[in-house]
Amino acid sequence: MDTHTTNAIFERDGTRFLPTGLARGPWDENALHGGAPAALLTHIAQNTAGPEFGLARLTFELTRPVPLASLEVRAEASRGRSARRVALQIEHDGVPMGRAIALMLREQPVQVPTGPARTLEPAPDECTQRYETPGMPSGEFFHHRAMDIRVATGSTREPGPAAAWFRLRAPVLEGVETTPAMRAAAASDFGNGLSWVLPFDEYLFANTDLTVYLHRAPVGEWIGIDAETIAQPNGIGLSSSTLYDAVGRVGMAHQNLLIRKR
């Protein structure tokens, strides 16, 4: 499909969601970056569960690449008082592209011990290194146009663990306020690209799923990702990330990787 000239990552057309070029992923120019549909599914899960529930976990299985084309999302929620599970399915022309379960929990005040917060440093305004991975395409892509990325530790130009700050440059859905949970879901899919082990121009290491845990809603526009990737000679890998905001840790994210020689 032709991409749209809009400042949003998705437009809405009735019950359909139309991804723009800002949703495009690096592996296939006709498929989405995983962070784009993850953020969209988070929005739908929040609306389906109700405003009194917050996202505690999103498990998103990408059964096949989500195309840069018209999409529909089906959502159904359980009716628990303290916990609700929202089952989501993202489709193109009636064919499932991915399935997700969002665990939504009702918050309530509890007294817990407090201690010094572990933070990700340096802060975004003190970071000058940009996200530049050898072989990664540039242009109208989610990682290049939709995200402002500033490397905090390590280097995206070399293999190994790395940490960076992520801020959305565009709303996830046109006309809809982007919530903190949506920001976290959008950034969480970057773990395997941030901390890579094998060179992008020689290997594919796309994630087959994404699981995000949040123990509180992030504060502010910036989401910090501290990631480490493990690759095995059997063609399977794992990226694990700790998630931060300006105050401290907010959760974790994990991605299974399918590794193949190009």
Side-chain angles (χ1 to χ4, degrees):
M1 86 175 228
D2 293 333
T3 57
H4 297 258
T5 55
T6 180
N7 291 325
I9 298 165
F10 290 93
E11 297 175 339
R12 187 155 197 169
D13 181 14
T15 61
R16 299 181 303 157
F17 299 94
L18 308 178
T20 70
L22 295 177
R24 182 181 286 114
W27 306 109
D28 182 340
E29 65 178 12
N30 296 311
L32 305 191
H33 188 287
L40 177 65
L41 293 175
T42 297
H43 161 68
I44 296 171
Q46 289 178 313
N47 279 2
T48 303
E52 66 274 26
F53 289 85
L55 180 70
R57 175 177 58 86
L58 175 72
T59 298
F60 179 25
E61 294 188 355
L62 295 98
T63 53
R64 60 185 68 190
V66 181
L68 188 67
S70 175
L71 303 169
E72 291 190 339
V73 178
R74 303 181 186 277
E76 183 177 354
S78 65
R79 306 307 300 174
R81 292 183 178 181
S82 299
R84 292 184 179 177
R85 287 170 174 81
V86 183
L88 304 119
Q89 181 164 287
I90 189 166
E91 302 177 354
H92 170 60
D93 286 344
V95 179
M97 298 289 119
R99 296 179 174 87
I101 293 290
L103 174 62
M104 314 296 293
L105 299 182
R106 186 195 296 270
E107 295 185 1
Q108 56 183 352
V110 178
Q111 290 188 349
V112 296
T114 60
R118 196 174 97 189
T119 59
L120 177 59
E121 296 179 349
D125 58 359
E126 299 172 351
C127 298
T128 58
Q129 184 186 157
R130 295 296 176 175
Y131 180 75
E132 296 176 359
T133 299
M136 187 80 71
S138 61
E140 195 178 34
F141 292 88
F142 186 73
H143 69 272
H144 194 249
R145 294 274 176 84
M147 276 286 187
D148 181 5
I149 308 173
R150 303 182 186 182
V151 178
T153 63
S155 173
T156 59
R157 301 185 184 97
E158 299 176 355
W165 291 98
F166 295 79
R167 177 175 62 180
L168 281 167
R169 288 189 171 118
V172 172
L173 182 59
E174 188 175 32
V176 172
E177 181 180 357
T178 301
T179 65
M182 292 165 68
R183 296 181 193 280
S188 293
D189 195 63
F190 277 89
N192 62 324
L194 177 63
S195 165
W196 53 275
V197 176
L198 299 168
F200 181 90
D201 53 357
E202 296 181 26
Y203 289 87
L204 299 170
F205 42 92
N207 54 302
T208 58
D209 64 4
L210 169 67
T211 297
V212 182
Y213 293 91
L214 293 178
H215 52 258
R216 66 171 174 84
V219 175
E221 294 186 328
W222 290 97
I223 303 293
I225 305 290
D226 188 356
E228 182 175 10
T229 294
I230 299 171
Q232 295 296 314
N234 59 5
I236 299 173
L238 175 69
S239 286
S240 295
S241 304
T242 304
L243 312 183
Y244 293 85
D245 63 8
V247 179
R249 287 182 291 181
V250 298
M252 298 286 296
H254 303 284
Q255 301 163 288
N256 279 121
L257 307 181
L258 182 65
I259 302 170
R260 295 291 183 267
K261 184 81 173 176
R262 286 188 184 274

